[in-house]
Amino acid sequence: MRIRLYNDITARLARVRMVDGIPAYVSIERATEATETPNMQVIKSFDLWNENVVHLTQQRPFQTPAVFIEFLPIVWQQVGRKAKRATVGVRLHVVTATLATMHSPYKEDVLFPLYLIRAIDTAMRGMAGVADERGLSYSTFVHTESATDHNHEQVSEHIETWQTKCHDCSAVLQDDHVQTPHDVTLDDGRVFSPCYNEKFA
């Protein structure tokens, strides 16, 4: 489940582009030739969170802006037939770097992380995943918390927390059960009387 969430989130956030000088989420439907040039992608690095800002001098350097994804502890519930579900919390660590100050001609550089967070919020809003071939799905992400970095120098780290409800039916499918997105019927014309010949979901 975490692999799918990581891949889907990074693919979505990779759609944040510079539009009129500020970061904005550009869906594939709204994309233009100008927003599809490689240098228009705003977020330069994605990775799993590993205290990256704390150990800047000890880890492999990364380009900024960067988004690191942290999965909060997951408590799974069994729902029968080996399927399981859980509410999954995801922290997005939005890391930017600048030496600019508010009392300088570069005020927009100071506000850039907030513009980027706004674009990330737009990208995550409405994001959900239907069941894939492994039986993994998740509901629409809900924004639950924002933590602004008020103690930084050049590198700042703002944290945005999101939640989604995940369903994992991969064990069910491994037992040769079939999932179908369409209505099915048990009426083959011989077993049920006419009053039960409607389709069952």
Side-chain angles (χ1 to χ4, degrees), residues 42-45 62-66 68 95-98 112 155-156:
V42 175
I43 301 170
K44 305 300 183 184
S45 305
F62 55 85
Q63 281 187 291
T64 59
F68 298 99
V95 179
T96 57
T98 183
F112 176 83
V155 177
S156 64

Side-chain angles (χ1 to χ4, degrees), residues 104-192:
S104 73
Y106 306 103
K107 176 181 175 182
E108 291 301 308
D109 291 342
V110 180
L111 294 176
F112 176 83
L114 302 182
Y115 285 120
L116 178 56
I117 289 169
R118 185 174 69 182
I120 289 172
D121 178 79
T122 304
M124 294 290 292
R125 200 181 307 148
M127 179 179 171
V130 298
D132 61 13
E133 67 281 354
R134 296 188 66 240
L136 305 177
S137 62
Y138 58 92
S139 65
T140 304
F141 271 92
V142 177
H143 199 183
T144 59
E145 186 178 12
S146 297
T148 306
D149 190 350
H150 294 294
N151 184 24
H152 62 83
E153 295 181 359
Q154 179 180 353
V155 177
S156 64
E157 173 204 350
H158 304 283
I159 302 173
E160 301 296 309
T161 305
W162 293 78
Q163 251 184 21
T164 182
K165 295 186 184 302
C166 297
H167 291 82
D168 183 345
C169 297
S170 55
V172 177
L173 297 183
Q174 288 174 2
D175 286 346
D176 296 327
H177 290 90
V178 178
Q179 270 193 339
T180 171
H182 306 292
D183 292 340
V184 296
T185 179
L186 300 177
D187 185 0
D188 64 359
R190 293 175 299 170
V191 178
F192 294 106

Side-chain angles (χ1 to χ4, degrees), residues 71-122:
F71 292 101
L72 300 179
I74 301 171
V75 179
W76 290 101
Q77 296 177 318
Q78 301 302 314
V79 293
R81 293 179 58 197
K82 301 180 183 178
K84 58 186 179 179
R85 67 183 175 199
T87 298
V88 178
V90 177
R91 283 190 186 132
L92 303 180
H93 297 256
V94 182
V95 179
T96 57
T98 183
L99 290 172
T101 64
M102 290 297 283
H103 305 291
S104 73
Y106 306 103
K107 176 181 175 182
E108 291 301 308
D109 291 342
V110 180
L111 294 176
F112 176 83
L114 302 182
Y115 285 120
L116 178 56
I117 289 169
R118 185 174 69 182
I120 289 172
D121 178 79
T122 304

Side-chain angles (χ1 to χ4, degrees), residues 16-29:
V16 175
R17 302 284 194 262
M18 292 300 291
V19 178
D20 297 328
I22 61 173
Y25 171 65
V26 179
S27 65
I28 294 176
E29 295 77 20

